[in-house]
């Protein structure tokens, strides 16, 4: 799924112009990111939940050289599908 796909669905369902639906799709994604930064989670009922998780620092390997490298701690976003979505797919 892409921003263009979301904009197209918005445009078809609301009869908005392409520019307006593209802006609406961008605003929707920005609102989701803002909520993830603020609360660490975002839930779409009957679809699923996005959760921010912290990752620990670890050792990794450079795939080109095979050299051991240190990977810094960070954050990642995980998605857990709702039971309704699982049944639909």
């Amino acid at each position: 799924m892409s921003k263009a796909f979301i904009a197209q669905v918005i445009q078809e369902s609301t009869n908005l112009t392409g520019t307006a639906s593209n802006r609406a799709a961008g605003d929707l994604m920005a609102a989701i990111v803002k909520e993830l930064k603020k609360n660490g989670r975002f839930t779409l009922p009957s679809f699923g939940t996005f959760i921010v998780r912290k990752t620990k620092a670890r050792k990794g390997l450079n795939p080109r050289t095979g050299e051991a490298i240190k990977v810094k701690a960070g954050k990642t976003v995980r998605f857990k599908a709702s039971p309704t979505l699982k049944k639909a797919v």
Side-chain angles (χ1 to χ4, degrees):
M1 185 183 313
S2 64
K3 181 180 172 183
F5 175 77
I6 294 171
Q8 181 182 1
V9 171
I10 292 171
Q11 183 178 8
E12 291 171 358
S13 66
T14 61
N15 295 324
L16 290 174
T17 64
T19 304
S21 62
N22 194 22
R23 189 177 318 120
D27 291 345
L28 173 66
M29 288 192 278
I32 292 171
V33 170
K34 184 178 178 181
E35 188 68 19
L36 285 170
K37 284 182 179 181
K38 181 180 176 185
N39 295 325
R41 67 185 304 133
F42 178 78
T43 301
L44 287 169
S46 300
F47 186 72
T49 303
F50 296 89
I51 303 168
V52 176
R53 299 268 175 129
K54 293 181 180 179
T55 58
K56 295 180 180 180
R58 62 191 187 281
K59 293 181 183 178
L61 290 177
N62 182 331
R64 288 188 180 174
T65 64
E67 178 185 356
I69 58 172
K70 293 181 182 178
V71 179
K72 295 180 181 179
K75 294 180 183 178
T76 188
V77 178
R78 302 289 175 123
F79 175 74
K80 182 176 180 186
S82 73
T84 307
L85 178 62
K86 289 179 183 179
K87 287 180 185 176
V89 177

